[in-house]
Structure formats: C-alpha cells, structure tokens
Amino acid sequence: AQRVTQPEKLLSVFKGAPVELKCNYSYSGSPELFWYVQYSRQRLQLLLRHISRESIKGFTADLNKGETSFHLKKPFAQEEDSAMYYCALIPAAGNKLTFGGGTRVLVKP
Amino acid sequence: ETGVTQSPTHLIKTRGQQVTLRCSSQSGHNTVSWYQQALGQGPQFIFQYYREEENGRGNFPPRFSGLQFPNYSSELNVNALELDDSALYLCASSVSGGYSNTEAFFGQGTRLTVV
C-alpha cells in the first residue's frame, strides 16, 4: 500500500526567506506526485504535479525516486503563500489520491 | 463552466442515524471521488465513481456507500453513524479515460458532526 509522509506540521518563515516543505512517499512502482494547497476559507486546489515540471507561483518540486521524495521549494516566500499544503500521490494506472497529513505554512511579515 | 458544488455545507446528526451528502461535478467531468478529512489530517480516499459504477474503494466499511447519476452528480450515504464519522467530506471531480486522469477539482466540502 502507498503512503505519503509530511514530517512538518507547521513551518513558520519570514517574508523573503526560502521555504521547503518535505514530502516522502512509499510505493513500489512509479507514482504520479502532486502538491495541493488550501488557502484560508478556500477549497483544496492543485498547485503542481511532477509530470508537468512547471513552476507555479514560484514553487517547484523535484521528484527524487532514489530517496522517494517530492519536496516543495520556493526561494522567496510571500505572505500570500500562507496556507495548508498537502503532498499526494496516485499509483501508476491508479485512480485514488493518497494524501499526506499536511503542512501549515505561515509567512510572517 | 461551473465548479464542484456540495450540499449541505454543514450537518449535525445523531449516532445511529443515516446521512446523504450530495455533489455536483464540474461540467464535462465524468468521474467523482469522495474523501473523508478528519480534523488535523489529510483527506482519505473513500471511493470513486466512473460511469455510474464504483471504480475503486479505500479502507472504509460497507456502511459507506455511494451513487453516481447519469448527469455525473453523486451521493455519499453513511448508515449507522458513529462519532468517529465526524469529519469534512470532500468531493472531487475529474475526467477519466483509460489510464489517463485529469486534474481533480474539489468541492468546498460538507462538515458532518455526529453527536
């Protein structure tokens, strides 16, 4: 069975500082990895997926199959990045999203 | 284009009762997935419906059941409610075809409280 672990419940950084959210997964095959974000009083929405290899809102995430990690990074955090972030995976040819427990990011002015 | 809508937004039920939660999928989406999110945890997959049939199920007992209608809207039914069923229930819609799944769009959720 697949599992996603986000070791940090809360990350507090100052505006302009780098931020890195850790995500580790366990799955024997080749999953598809995602980061979802939930801003205050908004619904859960997709931030980025590893197959697109895009930078969204300044965030990037690299899939490291050797370390089974998919950490999310942003070099200069902004106050509007304050939100709840969830790492998730779908197994190859699968249909169910498995989420981590989430990391709350607080960007202080 | 309309987004995913869920009803009701909040609900209070008594232990042992039954509840039905509803979800209207985004226009053009043929797949609906349901998730349970307990306080302080990430969403957990309950099941998915594709073309009106269950297409995958998570680790939830049979008292959690669902339906998908021809217009792709969906219901989640929970029988014999327990206190631990108190959670936010999320619906997500997407387009499925073969091995391809598009981005899942989530509704705002239904907050269920069992007392």
Side-chain angles (χ1 to χ4, degrees):
Chain A
Q2 59 266 26
R3 186 183 179 114
V4 177
T5 303
Q6 294 178 249
E8 303 120 340
K9 287 286 188 188
L10 173 67
L11 273 181
S12 184
V13 300
F14 285 102
K15 177 182 172 181
V19 62
E20 180 179 25
L21 289 74
K22 290 187 169 45
C23 171
N24 291 92
Y25 67 90
S26 61
Y27 178 66
S28 56
S30 295
E32 186 170 356
L33 275 296
F34 306 81
W35 277 98
Y36 279 81
V37 61
Q38 188 167 29
Y39 302 103
S40 178
R41 287 187 288 278
Q42 294 188 28
R43 61 189 63 194
L44 196 60
Q45 59 186 284
L46 179 66
L47 179 63
L48 55 80
R49 58 201 300 179
H50 88 272
I51 59 170
S52 63
R53 298 181 182 275
E54 291 177 306
S55 172
I56 306 293
K57 298 184 179 182
F59 283 98
T60 58
D62 291 319
L63 178 60
N64 185 324
K65 292 186 179 180
E67 296 182 359
T68 60
S69 68
F70 188 56
H71 303 327
L72 183 69
K73 302 175 187 178
K74 184 168 182 176
F76 307 103
Q78 303 300 313
E79 289 182 68
E80 55 266 29
D81 296 327
S82 295
M84 197 74 188
Y85 291 80
Y86 295 96
C87 182
L89 73 76
I90 287 183
N95 61 0
K96 105 181 187 185
L97 275 165
T98 296
F99 286 88
T103 298
R104 180 169 298 282
V105 171
L106 177 61
V107 181
K108 296 177 285 189
Chain B
E1 182 177 286
T2 57
V4 180
T5 57
Q6 294 184 241
S7 62
T9 54
H10 296 85
L11 200 52
I12 299 176
K13 287 287 191 177
T14 303
R15 190 171 51 183
Q17 284 188 312
Q18 178 265 343
V19 69
T20 297
L21 310 182
R22 295 179 174 83
C23 172
S24 293
S25 58
Q26 184 155 317
S27 176
H29 286 189
N30 59 9
T31 300
V32 173
S33 303
W34 286 91
Y35 295 82
Q36 181 195 66
Q37 186 173 20
L39 200 60
Q41 297 182 23
Q44 284 195 60
F45 178 77
I46 303 175
F47 43 55
Q48 183 183 88
Y49 278 83
Y50 171 61
R51 292 184 175 176
E52 302 177 53
E53 300 216 351
E54 190 179 286
N55 182 40
R57 187 178 183 92
N59 189 25
F60 281 82
R63 61 189 184 84
F64 285 77
S65 63
L67 283 173
Q68 187 181 32
F69 300 100
N71 66 355
Y72 303 127
S73 65
S74 177
E75 287 182 354
L76 164 65
N77 298 289
V78 187
N79 293 321
L81 282 167
E82 301 176 0
L83 296 180
D84 285 349
D85 296 333
S86 295
L88 181 69
Y89 288 84
L90 297 171
C91 166
S93 75
S94 58
V95 179
S96 295
Y99 291 114
S100 171
N101 287 293
T102 63
E103 174 185 346
F105 288 84
F106 283 82
Q108 79 284 9
T110 294
R111 171 76 59 192
L112 172 65
T113 302
V114 182
V115 297

